Amino acid sequence: MKGFAMLGLNKVGWIEKEKPAVGPMDALLRPLAISPCTSDVHTVYEGALGDRHNLILGHEGVGEVVEVGNLVKDFKPGDKVIIPAITPDWEAVESQNGFSQHSNGMLNGWKFSNAKDGVFADFIHVNEADGNIAILPPEITIEEGAMLSDMVPTGFHGADLAEVAFGETVLVIGIGPVGLMAVAGANHRGAARIIAVGSREICAKAAKGYGATDIISYKNGDIATQVKDLTKGKGVDKVIIAGGTVDTFEEAVNVVRPGGIVSNINYLGSGDYIKIPRVAWGLGMGHIRVVGGLMPGGRKNMEYLSNLMKYKKLDVNPLLTHRFKGFENIEKGLLLMKDKPKDLIKPVITI
Ligand code: NAD
Ligand code: ZN
């Protein structure tokens, strides 16, 4: 089969590989819609996972089942399914402990384009099919469905980690597709005021559509100072970080109230340490929690989040600014995610 791969640092291209073997609990899919992610960009162009060779990229998409193992109960060839970016080993102790993202090792629930070949291939192997894929409801298009792999669950996970509650003021730093879904997630969880930090007009407009009440730009100076001005010095209840760098945590802790939460879903592709300002952190006694997490994968999460789209509580179309047809456009899509032109939020490619 052919696949679009990271050949080495800063190098991508098409390669040939063996079609994956299907174990008794596994499924083999062919892609119907796929989408490149900023995480693919961190992996290839920042070397965030180290120098990988011939690793097929991609972890977002909708596929059609071509083959299933003899122990798979709920899926059959021809089914259209959502492919979660994270496909944990459900029997692992970490999964039983509530952190399936780290089943059998840190981040090891993230298999596509990390622990094994990704979804930009003629065939896609899914471990533990019954636990990991979900039927795409007929009300959802394949392009919309591709946003359920990673953008929706990651953004909503940011809001979950922040434990957003009714009436709160929430700051969302970075409003690319993930941050926009964090805005939507915070809005769904009942935030009253949502201050979104972004610089591109298209993202600001989408953020307002998803529930942002205020927009500020990190290009207009320190985020903390701007937020303090907007909140009469009080700061915010929660911060969700979906963009920026290791230095962004300093600004987040500077504006969150005592007892607040800083929830990070950004993939920190470079830098060795994050800095937490001692005084703003209450001299170590401010009850400010800083937490970061990989999105939860698995079938249940896909089914529940897709319900929001099925019943028209969430529309991902404002994210889909660039639509392509044909596998050959995958490189174009990846380069768009790397270069982030003004009119881009997220590309999707139908096969
Ligand atoms: P993106 O690059 O499209 O969006 C990030 C936004 O942050 C950009 O619009 C950028 O302009 C903005 N930004 C840059 N510097 C900033 C700063 N200093 N302050 C505020 N904003 C700043 O990326 P995305 O696709 O939305 O993904 C966001 C991050 O989430 C990426 O790092 C991605 O790899 C990561 N990610 C994490 C998970 C997870 O499970 N935790 C899953 C998917 C993606
Ligand atoms: Zn991703």
Side-chain angles (χ1 to χ4, degrees):
M1 66 170 192
K2 67 176 190 315
F4 185 74
M6 170 171 180
L7 307 178
L9 275 182
N10 290 308
K11 256 193 256 149
V12 289
W14 293 94
I15 56 170
E16 281 291 329
K17 280 210 172 174
E18 286 285 302
K19 183 174 161 183
V22 183
M25 295 167 76
D26 306 342
L28 196 68
L29 317 176
R30 74 176 181 89
L32 298 174
I34 48 180
S35 184
C37 178
T38 306
S39 302
D40 295 309
V41 173
H42 291 304
T43 302
V44 176
Y45 301 102
E46 280 180 80
L49 300 174
D51 191 4
R52 301 298 187 84
H53 295 273
N54 299 339
L55 172 74
I56 295 180
L57 293 165
H59 48 259
E60 299 180 17
V62 162
E64 181 185 278
V65 177
V66 230
E67 191 182 332
V68 291
N70 59 7
L71 296 179
V72 173
K73 297 190 298 276
D74 296 335
F75 299 92
K76 58 179 190 320
D79 286 345
K80 261 186 211 170
V81 296
I82 306 159
I83 313 167
I86 308 303
T87 52
D89 307 312
W90 289 100
E91 86 296 345
V93 173
E94 293 84 354
S95 302
Q96 293 172 28
N97 208 17
F99 294 97
S100 58
Q101 298 94 324
H102 310 293
S103 58
N104 291 315
M106 178 74 86
L107 303 180
N108 192 53
W110 175 20
K111 300 197 185 304
F112 294 126
S113 68
N114 179 20
K116 71 175 187 187
D117 283 325
V119 305
F120 298 163
D122 287 331
F123 294 100
I124 301 160
H125 169 271
V126 183
N127 58 297
E128 294 186 45
D130 281 323
N132 279 323
I133 46 181
I135 296 286
L136 180 75
E139 296 84 353
I140 302 175
T141 68
I142 52 172
E143 290 168 314
E144 293 165 348
M147 297 301 102
L148 281 162
S149 299
D150 189 355
M151 299 298 97
V152 178
T154 299
F156 276 58
H157 189 51
D160 281 343
L161 284 178
E163 299 175 19
V164 175
F166 294 132
E168 286 189 338
T169 298
V170 178
L171 173 68
V172 179
I173 303 181
I175 43 171
V178 167
L180 287 170
M181 288 301 95
V183 170
N187 195 44
H188 271 280
R189 288 187 62 118
R193 188 174 194 185
I194 302 175
I195 305 170
V197 185
S199 61
R200 287 179 294 154
E201 211 174 302
I202 189 165
C203 298
K205 189 166 167 249
K208 286 204 165 147
Y210 286 121
T213 50
D214 308 75
I215 309 282
I216 59 176
S217 170
Y218 60 94
K219 295 197 172 153
N220 293 344
D222 181 58
I223 297 171
T225 310
Q226 294 186 65
V227 174
K228 284 269 170 79
D229 284 348
L230 277 177
T231 56
K232 302 200 171 74
K234 277 180 75 177
V236 299
D237 296 295
K238 307 288 169 59
V239 182
I240 304 172
I241 302 179
T245 65
V246 286
D247 296 327
T248 307
F249 290 81
E250 186 168 0
E251 300 200 72
V253 172
N254 275 333
V255 281
V256 78
R257 64 156 162 82
I261 301 176
V262 174
S263 145
N264 178 71
I265 41 175
N266 196 17
Y267 172 166
L268 299 169
S270 54
D272 290 326
Y273 298 98
I274 64 167
K275 239 199 293 181
I276 295 182
R278 180 181 61 90
V279 174
W281 207 43
L283 314 176
M285 299 176 284
H287 293 100
I288 293 169
R289 276 180 282 162
V290 178
V291 57
L294 181 66
M295 66 161 258
R299 174 174 169 180
K300 184 242 162 188
N301 202 36
M302 293 299 112
E303 289 183 350
Y304 276 57
L305 290 174
S306 66
N307 279 339
L308 288 173
M309 282 158 68
K310 176 175 167 178
Y311 293 104
K312 313 289 178 217
K313 300 277 170 88
L314 176 69
D315 179 9
V316 295
N317 283 293
L319 304 182
L320 300 174
T321 51
H322 291 63
R323 298 171 195 244
F324 300 103
K325 275 197 168 62
F327 221 168
E328 64 282 4
N329 289 302
I330 193 66
E331 181 162 13
K332 213 183 270 173
L334 181 70
L335 290 175
L336 281 170
M337 279 320 266
K338 175 171 174 273
D339 299 334
K340 305 263 152 65
K342 267 195 176 131
D343 59 344
L344 175 95
I345 298 182
K346 185 85 178 172
V348 65
I349 296 130
T350 49
I351 315 288

